[in-house]
Structures are given as structure tokens and as C-alpha cells.
Amino acid sequence: MVSRFYRLSCFLLLLLGTIINAQTEVGKYAGEFLSLGVGGRALGMGGASVAVADDITAGYWNPAGLARMNYPQISLMHEEHFGSLVNYNYAAVAIPYGTDMSFGISAIRLGIDGIPDTRNALIDRQTGESITDPTNVNWGLDYSKITEFSNTDWAFFLSFAKRQSDDFYWGANVKFIRRDIAEFGATGIGFDVGAIYMPYENFSVGANLMDITTTLLAWDNGRNELISPTAKIGTAYILNILGGKFTPAIDFDVRFENRQTASNFNLGPVSFDARFGLEYNFKDIIAVRGGYNDVKQFTIGAGVKLPKLNIDYTYATFNESEFESLPETHRISLILTLEEPKFLRSDK
């Protein structure tokens, strides 16, 4: 665990050097922290949720889904990656408004804290003087000069959704991004547009065009980084069997960043990553889920609905041999629904 932490530290220090030297570029993975997903239900289904989302987490997966809510909701989620090295947190509030609209606000934080900073601790072991050339054969570390820094990513979503008709919903996000690594910081703003169409009973098709105008991240050292658009497209079908609802779903993330070796398949610079998910919900009381996501993880999960409170848990593990040493991921999320007549969406 310690060696992994120091390898991560070295990577982030190299990233610092890139931030210092580069000016403007399309960041192939600049918005990667935004692809981790939210909500135990969706993540238990491998993230196949673009056509499924009908609760507060739709503010992330597909803002159009917020219009399917009938009561105000509050959600919280905590997740740890690589043991406890990376902490990922999510919180959101959403309310229905009038007969056909909803509003929401969501916040995501991905943080790595306590990273050793050795940039000023490199010394010549013979003279004890500070050096900047790591190829010096006499290099060493003065541990008293090692400090710590954090790498923190924030995203805030302001969401709007509207039911245009009984079978068509649409929505949009304005999102604000803040990234900090050591003494450097970047600020950005982006836009998402989503829609859900239900041409037949129990069958839905969804799309969420993220960063639709290309999101600009402006670093405070003059460097600009661009987040390219991503199209999330999915479909789901609800089967009423065994006294409950069985929902298979499939999503595709379509990117335009030339991810030829880091995607399921590609057509030139356009890459495609698939997500598969299944859910069985018994009388809206208990649910079991399974899925396979875009980073080659198998996911399983379960959820229970208590009066006004949904508790969802997800377990994810890698199936590829090169990732077998990575720890499993555990996620738990809560959704509080103000399910009282006075909060019910107006039907007039």
C-alpha cells in the first residue's frame, strides 16, 4: 500500500510538471473524474442508467430523468478507491416543481490528500546542497524538507428537467468544475443536455450529451485544457415477472478523444465503451443488481426501501489479470424521499 501511494505521488508530481510546461491542449482524460458515476443503484447495474434514471441521481446520469420524480429527494454517497487512498463523495438535492418540471443541485468531490511533495527535498548526499537534477548519481532525499499536498477535483451540477409529453422528457445541466493540485488550480464551466423517450410501454431510450459545447478548464498559470464531448446513449426494458420488475439495460459511452487502446472498441478517433446492467425489484421493497462497466469491472449490488429512505450498496471488482492486485471497491448511497402528500408533485 505504501509503495502504491508513492507511485501515485510520482505520477502526480509528473502531472505538476506537465501543468507548468504545457499551455493549451485537448485533455484526453481531463474530465475523467466525472465518469466515475453516482448512486448505488446505477453503479450496481454497471452504470447502465441513461434510460433508467428516474430519481435524484438522474442529475448526473441524464438530467431528463429528474422530471420523472414526484417527491423531493436528498442523496448522499461515499466511496473509497485503492484502499483508502482516493475518497469520492457525492451529495444532491432535487425537487419537483409544478406539473412537469424539476430542479436539482449536485456536488461531487474526488480527493487524494496527504501526498508527499519531494520537489524541494532533493539533495546531493555528499555536499548536502539542494539539487534539481534527479540524474545526479549522488542524489538523495532530505526527509525534513518533504511536505504534503492534495489533489482535489470538484464538480457542481445545476439541473433542470421537463416532461414535454407522457412519453418524452428532456433536461439540461450547467456544471462548474474546480481542480486543485498543490499550488495550481483550474476552473471550468460545461453544459449537458439529455432526453428520454418511451415509444412503448416499459421501454425507454435515453441520451445524455455531456460537455456538449466542449468544456474549457483554465489553469491559473495560463494553461488551458479542453474536455471533449461525450455522448451517453442507452436503452432499458421493464419486464413484470415473478411478482416484481426485471430491468435489463445497456449503455454506450461514445467519445471523440482517439482512445484507441483504452476503449472497448473504436472507429478511428471515435471510441465506444459499453455498460451492461440488470435489476430485479421485488414490489419496490428490495432489489438485487448486477452489471459490467466500461473499466472492465463486474458489479453486484442490493437495495432496500424503507419508509422514506432507500439504502443501496454496490461491490465492484476487476476481472482482468493485470488488475487483480487492485482492491475491490465498496459503495453505499442513501436517498431520502419526502414522501408525504404535501410534497407530492401537483397534477394540475
Side-chain angles (χ1 to χ4, degrees), residues 65 92 99 103 202 207 237 242 252 288-289 293 306:
T99 61
F103 295 90
N202 295 334
Y237 187 75
L242 301 176
F252 287 95
V288 292
R289 308 176 183 107
N293 63 26
L306 305 175

Side-chain angles (χ1 to χ4, degrees), residues 10-316:
C10 293
F11 168 77
L12 291 171
L13 288 173
L14 289 173
L15 178 60
L16 276 174
T18 302
I19 291 172
I20 293 170
N21 295 319
Q23 291 304 315
T24 302
E25 64 177 27
V26 175
K28 183 178 288 190
Y29 300 101
E32 194 66 13
F33 82 99
L34 293 172
S35 69
L36 295 177
V38 303
R41 180 194 182 197
L43 294 172
M45 296 176 67
S49 196
V50 175
V52 175
D54 58 3
D55 58 24
I56 187 172
T57 63
Y60 169 87
W61 294 105
N62 186 347
L66 288 176
R68 304 164 79 178
M69 295 173 47
N70 290 318
Y71 294 95
Q73 291 185 332
I74 301 170
S75 182
L76 298 171
M77 187 188 82
H78 175 70
E79 176 183 335
E80 295 181 354
H81 291 270
F82 311 120
S84 59
L85 290 181
V86 182
N87 287 282
Y88 182 62
N89 295 289
Y90 159 78
V93 177
I95 59 171
Y97 180 79
T99 61
D100 56 8
M101 293 184 290
S102 293
F103 295 90
I105 181 170
S106 311
I108 292 173
R109 181 189 184 273
L110 179 71
I112 308 171
D113 301 307
I115 303 168
D117 186 349
T118 61
R119 288 176 293 170
N120 298 317
L122 198 63
I123 61 171
D124 187 308
R125 287 177 299 178
Q126 293 184 344
T127 65
E129 296 180 353
S130 296
I131 60 174
T132 57
D133 181 8
T135 62
N136 187 319
V137 294
N138 295 317
W139 75 271
L141 289 176
D142 183 345
Y143 289 92
S144 66
K145 295 181 179 180
I146 296 177
T147 57
E148 293 183 348
F149 68 94
S150 296
N151 179 26
T152 306
D153 296 319
W154 285 92
F156 299 92
F157 296 73
L158 301 179
S159 304
F160 169 79
K162 180 176 175 60
R163 185 182 70 236
Q164 195 67 36
S165 64
D166 289 340
D167 57 9
F168 183 73
Y169 301 75
W170 65 272
N173 288 329
V174 178
K175 60 189 179 188
F176 302 91
I177 301 171
R178 177 66 187 181
R179 307 193 69 185
D180 290 288
I181 178 169
E183 67 269 26
F184 300 99
T187 304
I189 183 171
F191 302 91
D192 307 331
V193 176
I196 294 176
Y197 177 55
M198 294 176 289
Y200 308 105
E201 184 178 4
N202 295 334
F203 177 70
S204 58
V205 178
N208 183 17
L209 305 180
M210 302 177 66
D211 304 293
I212 189 170
T213 61
T214 302
T215 297
L216 172 68
L217 283 176
W219 290 86
D220 51 20
N221 66 341
R223 176 179 182 250
N224 293 326
E225 197 170 28
L226 302 176
I227 301 176
S228 298
T230 297
K232 290 181 174 289
I233 302 169
T235 185
Y237 187 75
I238 299 175
L239 299 167
N240 295 299
I241 57 175
L242 301 176
K245 296 180 179 180
F246 181 74
T247 306
I250 181 172
D251 282 8
F252 287 95
D253 291 351
V254 184
R255 297 183 174 91
F256 308 90
E257 299 178 339
N258 198 29
R259 297 189 179 191
Q260 296 188 12
T261 59
S263 61
N264 295 152
F265 60 95
N266 70 284
L267 295 173
V270 182
S271 62
F272 301 84
D273 291 296
R275 303 168 183 259
F276 305 93
L278 298 170
E279 178 186 61
Y280 178 71
N281 188 314
F282 182 71
K283 296 184 177 180
D284 204 26
I285 297 174
I286 189 169
V288 292
R289 308 176 183 107
Y292 187 75
N293 63 26
D294 60 322
V295 292
K296 301 179 180 180
Q297 281 183 317
F298 283 110
T299 63
I300 57 173
V304 59
K305 183 176 181 180
L306 305 175
K308 300 181 182 180
L309 183 65
N310 289 50
I311 303 173
D312 295 293
Y313 169 78
T314 299
Y315 167 87

